[in-house]
Amino acid sequence: MAYFSDVRPLERTGGSIDRPLRDVFRLPAIGASVAEARRRVLARLTEWDIGTVIRDDAQLVVSELFTNAVRHTDSERVDCELRVTGVRLRLAVTDQGSGNARHAGGAAEAPADTRGEGENGRGLLLVSALAEAWGVRPGAGGRGHMVWAELGFGPSAP
């Protein structure tokens, strides 16, 4: 785990992280955990001195992915990993349950599958709009889903 003094300010300098930063946490698969996941992401990214825009985007992405894991799987818990390397923040949310992979977090082709007018799917459109890349793969041991999204920052970020 890195501490505040280990990280250069990013948005102010347009710099990148010299070494990877990583944090992992696990929460119960209940609705109240979505807000706790957002709080934990905000706290960690603030500690790492990640800029406000990326912190805000990361909170939205984690909220959507965590919500899908809670709503669309039979998981008892949901894991979340944050990793900063260079000028990228990678967020990964892993459920342990069965459920529809498309709804659990999307698939590589998910943006085409999420154009419906209903409430379901709009969150994945948001993830697609905010992330430079995102996708889903089977969880460890073939159980559940790991959904990831990468946000870029620094001089080349939009």
Side-chain angles (χ1 to χ4, degrees):
M1 177 185 315
Y3 295 96
F4 178 77
S5 62
D6 295 334
V7 183
R8 293 185 313 206
L10 297 176
E11 283 190 346
R12 289 191 297 270
T13 65
S16 66
I17 299 295
D18 292 331
R19 60 191 166 117
L21 301 172
R22 181 174 181 259
D23 186 37
V24 178
F25 59 88
R26 174 178 292 162
L27 296 170
I30 59 174
S33 292
V34 176
E36 178 62 19
R38 287 176 64 102
R39 281 190 292 274
R40 286 185 183 218
V41 167
L42 175 61
R44 182 62 66 221
L45 296 181
T46 299
E47 177 183 315
W48 290 344
D49 203 21
I50 303 296
T52 304
V53 173
I54 298 302
R55 288 193 317 249
D56 291 347
D57 289 353
Q59 287 181 88
L60 286 171
V61 168
V62 163
S63 180
E64 295 302 333
L65 299 183
F66 224 92
T67 296
N68 284 349
V70 169
R71 283 188 183 169
H72 301 292
T73 72
D74 61 358
S75 298
E76 292 181 16
R77 68 177 192 273
V78 178
D79 298 337
C80 183
E81 178 181 13
L82 308 170
R83 182 182 302 255
V84 176
T85 306
V87 293
R88 285 199 179 280
L89 168 63
R90 183 179 176 99
L91 305 159
V93 173
T94 305
D95 64 67
Q96 62 180 175
S98 61
N100 184 333
R102 192 178 114 245
H103 288 120
E109 68 277 358
D113 293 335
T114 58
R115 295 184 189 176
E117 294 300 315
E119 179 181 329
N120 292 334
R122 288 185 182 165
L124 297 178
L125 285 174
L126 178 62
V127 170
S128 180
L130 294 174
E132 288 185 353
W134 74 282
V136 65
R137 68 177 196 211
R143 180 155 165 76
H145 311 94
M146 191 271 279
V147 186
W148 57 271
E150 291 186 350
L151 304 174
F153 53 87
S156 62

